[in-house]
Amino acid sequence: FKKGEKMNIEEFIHELEVLHINYTKTMLDKLEKYYNLLIQTNEKINLTRITDKNDVYLKHFLDSLTITKVIDLNQETTLCDIGTGAGFPGIVLKIFFPHLKVTLVDALQKRVAFLNLVITTLELENIEATHYRIEEYGHKVREHYDIVTARALSKLNILVELAMPLIKKDKFLIAMKANIDDEIKNSTNALQKLQSEILKVEEFLLPKEHSKRTLIVIKKEAVTSKIFPRKYSEIKKKPL
């Protein structure tokens, strides 16, 4: 990074205002605690390769909040963040939109333990971290969430199959990606089979460092067939 391409707290707050996100000192304090827990735990287990404070605020915290460009979270109630990793975007969204009931799903027990530590330390309510492979969780919980988020997880055609069973009819999957190249074109069959359609594709550059970001909003139009999601080995071998 050249000097001047990072994001200090004042700039982060400015970007919250640009995104029309209400914030309080308490929320910013929680974010700070979250950062500290992330860095401490990252020395023991690999949660992120981004550790510089200003980078974390830009590439993890602000990046998580850019979802508000395409959805009004004040109008939604339940959110599931699949493949949440260290809690992006799920925990960040919970801090700034405390009314949301949030479920964080991750397949690695160590990460789930970290998420639980964050939830407890930040005294967050109506949020749980759960240890599941997404395709297994999709058979346990169906047609339940207003929003499913997935940040930098799987190609779109695979993601649609993993996420759609979790979502209520007429509600949304929001895929948070960097560059998507042919992913949208290659997801036509998956979208059709899972009776869903792309409503919006928003491309923009992250402030300061100007890397490309893409938000894809997909609406679920009908109840998902019980055959989905298939076993991951099948999904991988024969993606829709």
Side-chain angles (χ1 to χ4, degrees):
F1 269 75
K2 293 190 203 73
K3 199 167 165 34
E5 288 185 344
K6 300 184 176 210
M7 170 168 281
N8 62 34
I9 300 296
E10 288 72 25
E11 290 166 320
F12 176 77
I13 288 170
H14 170 72
E15 292 299 332
L16 290 180
E17 289 163 356
V18 170
L19 290 168
H20 307 293
I21 294 173
N22 294 325
Y23 62 91
T24 62
K25 184 180 182 305
T26 306
M27 289 171 182
L28 297 174
D29 290 346
K30 284 183 177 178
L31 209 55
E32 181 76 7
K33 276 188 193 161
Y34 183 17
Y35 169 73
N36 291 328
L37 287 169
L38 179 71
I39 297 312
Q40 287 158 17
T41 311
N42 202 53
E43 290 171 5
K44 302 191 265 301
I45 65 165
N46 181 26
L47 293 168
T48 176
R49 55 185 178 73
I50 299 166
T51 54
D52 175 89
K53 187 171 186 176
N54 293 355
D55 287 348
V56 170
Y57 268 76
L58 175 62
K59 295 179 182 176
H60 283 327
F61 295 168
L62 183 67
D63 190 39
S64 293
L65 291 164
T66 58
I67 196 172
T68 58
K69 287 174 175 282
V70 293
I71 189 108
D72 181 357
L73 290 173
N74 294 304
Q75 303 299 316
E76 309 299 338
T77 310
T78 50
L79 181 143
C80 182
D81 184 19
I82 56 176
T84 187
F88 310 122
I91 285 181
V92 184
L93 296 177
K94 177 67 193 177
I95 290 170
F96 286 90
F97 297 89
H99 72 282
L100 287 174
K101 290 184 178 149
V102 175
T103 307
L104 309 167
V105 182
D106 201 88
L108 195 69
Q109 183 61 57
K110 282 180 182 173
R111 283 199 291 257
V112 173
F114 166 71
L115 297 167
N116 281 319
L117 173 69
V118 175
I119 289 167
T120 309
T121 310
L122 272 53
E123 299 178 345
L124 300 174
E125 293 172 356
N126 283 325
I127 177 170
E128 64 164 345
T130 186
H131 177 226
Y132 271 100
R133 291 187 61 85
I134 301 154
E135 69 278 12
E136 289 162 6
Y137 191 67
H139 283 288
K140 178 180 185 277
V141 177
R142 298 184 75 85
E143 323 286 331
H144 182 74
Y145 295 101
D146 297 329
I147 305 284
V148 168
T149 54
R151 183 175 175 255
L153 182 78
S154 305
K155 286 204 157 56
L156 199 58
N157 58 335
I158 291 176
L159 189 55
V160 165
E161 178 168 354
L162 292 173
M164 280 304 151
L166 298 166
I167 301 170
K168 291 176 188 168
K169 181 178 174 294
D170 296 327
K171 292 297 185 174
F172 312 99
L173 163 65
I174 300 177
M176 309 180 76
K177 292 181 165 284
N179 240 327
I180 47 166
D181 307 324
D182 296 329
E183 281 191 43
I184 289 180
K185 203 167 67 213
N186 296 336
S187 66
T188 312
N189 186 42
L191 289 163
Q192 206 178 347
K193 286 224 160 81
L194 283 121
Q195 295 175 285
S196 47
E197 70 158 332
I198 294 176
L199 287 191
K200 189 170 194 181
V201 178
E202 176 105 5
E203 294 181 343
F204 60 96
L205 301 176
L206 212 51
K208 308 289 280 181
E209 50 120 52
H210 304 305
S211 56
K212 189 176 174 191
R213 292 291 184 269
T214 311
L215 299 170
I216 306 158
V217 182
I218 300 174
K219 183 180 180 186
K220 170 163 166 164
E221 309 215 291
V223 171
T224 306
S225 161
K226 290 278 198 292
I227 62 170
F228 299 116
R230 295 168 295 157
K231 286 196 177 111
Y232 196 72
S233 54
E234 286 175 55
I235 295 175
K236 220 168 153 59
K237 198 162 71 184
K238 211 175 167 200
L240 295 175

